Amino acid sequence: MRTEARHAGDLRPIADALITATNAFAVEPALGLFTADAVIDDPSTGERFDGQAGVRDYIKRFFGGYRTATRLLSFTRIDEHRARLRVDFTGDFGHEIGLLEIVTDPAGLIVRIDAHLE
């Protein structure tokens, strides 16, 4: 499923949709926000997740598997296709604060997320 009515540079709704989908452990709606060749690089897991299969695995394991709830603390638009989110994660692992740097393509799909814990 693809998110409707994306506009170039309109990154906040994409970020909100990602948080909403992962908080609901809704893998398919979350996947619909990513390109087919998207990458999630998350050093805290020791892994990089490539393509739809990798993104699916990441969402299932680290959101569904740990019952992770994400709360947006701040949103900073870097440029037309990049934003930095500071987020609060809670779940079966405890509590962490993290940064998600999101890059989108011209159609508004996520091509890359670089995730870091503070």
Side-chain angles (χ1 to χ4, degrees), residues 3-4 6 8-9 26 35-36 46 51 61 64 68 71-73 80-81 85 103 111-114:
T3 301
E4 297 175 16
R6 286 200 182 92
T35 62
R61 284 196 319 182
T68 301
R71 182 172 58 93
L72 183 65
L73 300 174
E80 185 177 10
H81 296 288
L85 286 60
V103 180
V111 296
R112 183 175 184 92
I113 294 179
D114 289 292

Side-chain angles (χ1 to χ4, degrees), residues 48-104:
R48 179 179 135 152
F49 301 84
D50 295 302
Q52 290 276 308
V55 172
R56 178 187 304 279
D57 180 41
Y58 185 81
I59 293 167
K60 282 180 148 182
R61 284 196 319 182
F62 298 106
F63 288 91
Y66 288 100
R67 310 291 301 163
T68 301
T70 306
R71 182 172 58 93
L72 183 65
L73 300 174
S74 67
F75 176 91
T76 305
R77 181 179 158 164
I78 298 168
D79 62 31
E80 185 177 10
H81 296 288
R82 293 187 313 143
R84 181 174 300 117
L85 286 60
R86 186 167 185 259
V87 294
D88 181 280
F89 294 118
T90 56
D92 292 346
F93 55 86
H95 175 255
E96 296 284 348
I97 301 292
L99 294 174
L100 301 176
E101 295 198 20
I102 296 177
V103 180
T104 62

